[in-house]
Amino acid sequence: MAEPRTLTELFFGAIDANRGRPAALRHKVNGRWVDVSHAELLERVQDVSIGLWEQGIARGDRVAILSENRPEWAIADYACLALGAADVPIYPTLPPKQIEHLLHDSGAVAVFVSTAGQLAKVGEIRARLPALRAVIAFDGNAAGDGAAGGEAVRFAALAAQGRAARERHAAWRDDALAIRPDDLATLIYTSGTTGDPKGVMLTHGNIATNVLAALAAHRSISAEDECLSVLPLSHIFERTVGHYSMLHAGVVINYATSAESVGAELIEVRPTLLAAVPRLYEKIFQRVLDGAASGSALTRFVFRWARLTGEMVVDHTLAGRPLPPALAIQQRLADRLVFAKLRERTGGRLRILISGGAPLEPGIIKFFHAAGLPILEGYGLTETSPVIAVNSLDQIRIGTVGPALRGVEVRIADDGEILTRGPHVMRGYYNDPGATGAAIDGDGWFHTGDIGVLDGGFLRITDRKKDLIVTAGGKNIAPQPIEAMAKTSPLVANAVLLGDRRKFPVMLVVPHMAQLKVWAAREGLTAPDDATLLALPAVVERMNREVRATFRDLAPFETPKKLLLLPADFTIESGELTPTLKVKRRVVERNHAAAIEALYRA
């Protein structure tokens, strides 16, 4: 049987192969998990797709989706694809002004919204969007209140309109399957760590080939698996890996209710697969460290011993060396005392954890591997659909992002930049031929903006080209690995290294306040608020010692000379994080400019 070439071929193939299975998707309704079968998914996609057609939306139009993860998101997406319209995913955390820019720039003729809150955002800006003809509300009670500057169409009413018109669209499936690989599937706006976001044009063929290549690297993923969808579907990582790939493989997709509910729902759902950004794994790791640090001296000793034992086991296992008998005995004991508890807290069935979107500190990856929870780090960008390279259970080297996927070419330019070429590379940036020409050269090589090396076929990322710090003395510093080191401390929640064109680098550190307060209480230190606590000389000295103890093999010019302790973490609302939780360095530096200047003056 020929491999699917488009996302519509992937969709219908998955439906046909899994029609008898009880669930394709699962979501929570009034505290209960509710199944959506493959047969029901097909019916609802067909009705919504025809409903869009009846609303006057045609092939080639752009349709936005402004919603949290839920079955309706998937249904709207597949309905647009089947119609031949390109959808424009929008992060539900964005404010109205940014939503206006994306809807205006894309020329969206319709937008799906999830809740009354999202509908109200569109209501603020609709009068300034002449191309926007329809607003469709997933939640029935959100529609019809005039909040969107006119009547919003209820999602259920749109589906009913399509269902009533099925006879007039008897060739709906054939038309959907006639879509070509080079047809535009989606227009995804980059999260914009610098400057305005650009619209990335991804075709059916871009994403379909990436799905098949990613699954070829993870051959053990099958219809026996379940995943928990925790990343926003607006993120291309979740879209390709947690949405299209999972449906194609027959994996049941469970939608997490919210970021705050992930811990509890891991235990409820007991998934076998999880795809997430490093921040989630860092938080899980931090909770483990918190539990150990709050225990007795014996508990802390046992934890440190188990972690060291686990690292030795991982080193032997990944190198293909048999465990010495004494180490094998220690492994069983460490597992019983420490690691088994972590598996229980994550549901007890996880067998593959995929990490992407930013670097994850190798020490954290080793810890999860020691616990029988293999994190497989990968790499890609929105412009590459997104996966370029990924570790697998069969091919893994911690500290790298794995070998390139099949059909994907990778090479390192003379200046160290990672270049890639293949069917995964975007068509270009929407309405921006200048930016497209700057990103993709005449030979088809996409310039990623990342710095890396190829090590025996495994790709190792060292930093973002644009994030490299060049000191006043001309020394190049890659900040991300140094920040990752600092975040391995149980007292560090976040860290950002700055110092471009300065005499030396400094580090902004967000302490893990709960753990710091436990230590401060033991030392008899008190303060009326967090900022005052962080200003105490004993606290400053402790945090300096704690952070510097994490640094390994750094040259003197790479080592931050001073620390700035911040009482509050970076947030999306402050503009310091993108919706995918990447730090916007320029915003952080601007927001704390006065304190940073004081550091250098001192």
Side-chain angles (χ1 to χ4, degrees):
M1 183 176 177
E3 286 192 331
R5 302 165 303 134
T6 64
L7 293 175
T8 50
E9 288 181 6
L10 278 170
F11 172 72
F12 288 110
I15 296 296
D16 293 344
N18 297 283
R19 192 180 287 270
R21 294 176 56 78
L25 315 174
R26 190 179 289 130
H27 64 127
K28 228 173 188 177
V29 179
N30 298 323
R32 291 178 54 253
W33 289 98
V34 177
D35 292 347
V36 177
S37 69
H38 290 82
E40 180 185 352
L41 178 60
L42 175 62
E43 295 271 324
R44 295 179 70 181
V45 167
Q46 180 177 10
D47 291 343
V48 173
S49 185
I50 295 174
L52 289 172
W53 180 271
E54 293 291 313
Q55 287 281 327
I57 296 165
R59 185 168 180 162
D61 283 339
R62 272 82 62 211
V63 177
I65 305 176
L66 175 61
S67 170
E68 305 76 15
N69 291 14
R70 53 193 289 172
E72 292 87 351
W73 204 111
I75 291 163
D77 176 44
Y78 286 120
C80 290
L81 295 173
L83 181 63
D87 53 32
V88 184
I90 300 177
Y91 289 99
T93 53
L94 293 184
K97 187 66 177 175
Q98 292 185 37
I99 294 170
E100 179 184 351
H101 171 73
L102 303 188
L103 292 175
H104 183 271
D105 189 73
S106 66
V109 299
V111 57
F112 289 96
V113 298
S114 54
T115 62
Q118 302 298 348
L119 186 62
K121 291 180 185 178
V122 175
E124 289 185 35
I125 58 179
R126 189 171 184 179
R128 298 190 294 275
L129 297 167
L132 188 65
R133 302 198 303 267
V135 180
I136 303 148
F138 290 157
D139 290 348
N141 59 6
D145 59 7
E151 285 294 308
V153 178
R154 288 179 171 83
F155 190 67
L158 179 75
Q161 183 180 13
R163 192 158 48 251
R166 277 188 187 179
E167 287 188 7
R168 292 200 301 275
H169 298 270
W172 171 75
R173 174 168 173 152
D174 291 338
D175 290 342
L177 289 172
I179 288 168
R180 301 182 303 271
D182 59 353
D183 285 341
L184 186 64
T186 189
L187 188 58
I188 302 180
Y189 283 82
T190 58
S191 52
T193 55
T194 58
D196 287 331
K198 298 187 288 289
V200 176
M201 296 186 288
L202 296 179
T203 67
H204 279 256
N206 285 151
I207 302 175
T209 57
N210 206 242
V211 166
L212 297 175
L215 287 174
H218 299 286
R219 299 180 189 278
S220 67
I221 294 177
S222 73
E224 302 301 313
D225 285 306
E226 293 198 22
C227 72
L228 184 65
S229 176
V230 299
L231 295 178
L233 280 161
S234 308
H235 191 328
I236 185 59
F237 178 28
E238 181 66 19
R239 184 95 167 270
T240 294
V241 176
H243 177 55
Y244 299 128
S245 297
M246 295 301 107
L247 187 78
H248 181 64
V251 177
V252 179
I253 301 171
N254 298 270
Y255 294 113
T257 309
S258 67
E260 294 72 28
S261 69
V262 168
E265 290 174 350
L266 279 170
I267 297 172
E268 292 175 15
V269 171
R270 301 183 66 238
T272 58
L273 309 174
L274 182 67
V277 291
R279 196 70 184 126
L280 176 64
Y281 300 122
E282 289 168 354
K283 287 182 176 180
I284 295 173
F285 181 67
Q286 186 68 57
R287 285 199 294 269
V288 175
L289 293 182
D290 291 350
S294 62
S296 65
L298 177 60
T299 298
R300 294 195 295 273
F301 171 80
V302 169
F303 177 80
R304 288 193 296 269
W305 167 81
R307 185 177 177 184
L308 180 61
T309 299
E311 288 181 353
M312 289 190 292
V313 169
V314 172
D315 288 341
H316 276 76
T317 303
L318 295 185
R321 301 192 305 265
L323 296 184
L327 184 56
I329 293 170
Q330 293 178 63
Q331 178 199 24
R332 289 194 292 271
L333 183 58
D335 190 77
R336 187 180 309 125
L337 295 176
V338 174
F339 297 126
K341 296 174 184 176
L342 176 56
R343 292 197 298 275
E344 289 173 11
R345 291 177 192 167
T346 54
R349 293 202 305 161
L350 277 173
R351 63 183 192 84
I352 295 178
L353 299 87
I354 298 172
S355 179
L360 182 58
E361 212 281 324
I364 296 177
I365 298 177
K366 270 193 177 182
F367 181 81
F368 274 83
H369 273 264
L373 298 168
I375 293 180
L376 305 174
E377 195 169 17
Y379 165 69
L381 301 93
T382 303
E383 291 90 338
T384 58
S385 306
V387 188
I388 293 173
V390 66
N391 283 286
S392 67
L393 294 177
D394 299 325
Q395 288 185 294
I396 179 169
R397 189 178 296 176
I398 292 175
T400 77
V401 293
L405 295 184
R406 74 175 193 191
V408 171
E409 294 181 76
V410 172
R411 71 178 179 88
I412 308 299
D414 292 341
D415 63 355
E417 184 177 8
I418 300 166
L419 311 183
T420 186
R421 183 170 65 180
H424 60 307
V425 174
M426 66 171 179
R427 179 191 291 178
Y429 294 113
Y430 188 65
N431 286 336
D432 199 340
T436 301
I440 305 174
D441 65 28
D443 293 324
W445 290 100
F446 173 72
H447 292 240
T448 65
D450 290 310
I451 303 296
V453 295
L454 282 168
D455 180 5
F458 285 74
L459 181 61
R460 190 185 306 275
I461 312 296
T462 57
D463 216 329
R464 286 289 295 168
K465 189 175 181 179
K466 65 186 177 186
D467 288 343
L468 284 177
I469 293 170
V470 183
T471 67
K475 299 289 190 180
N476 288 352
I477 303 173
Q480 290 185 346
I482 302 171
E483 293 161 354
M485 290 177 192
K487 287 189 284 187
T488 60
S489 164
L491 291 184
V492 175
N494 219 331
V496 172
L497 191 73
L498 301 172
D500 197 45
R501 296 184 296 277
R502 302 276 197 169
K503 290 182 179 179
F504 54 83
V506 298
M507 179 172 276
L508 278 57
V509 174
V510 180
H512 191 286
M513 294 306 300
Q515 282 304 309
L516 185 60
K517 287 176 181 177
V518 169
W519 171 82
R522 286 202 300 262
E523 297 295 312
L525 301 172
T526 59
D529 53 56
D530 291 351
T532 305
L533 179 66
L534 295 181
L536 295 177
V539 172
V540 173
E541 194 273 336
R542 173 63 201 274
M543 288 303 301
N544 265 281
R545 279 192 290 111
E546 184 72 23
V547 172
R548 294 186 190 288
T550 67
F551 297 147
R552 300 183 306 277
D553 304 322
L554 294 183
F557 71 84
E558 294 178 301
T559 306
K561 300 298 184 288
K562 298 183 180 182
L563 303 186
L564 174 62
L565 302 181
L566 304 177
D569 204 350
F570 313 119
T571 64
I572 296 173
E573 291 72 24
S574 69
E576 294 170 334
L577 295 180
T578 71
T580 55
L581 305 183
K582 295 175 184 174
V583 172
K584 294 183 177 181
R585 295 174 184 277
R586 293 180 187 176
V587 177
V588 169
E589 191 164 12
R590 183 176 69 239
N591 287 358
H592 301 281
I596 293 169
E597 288 302 323
L599 272 188
Y600 280 103
R601 282 198 305 270

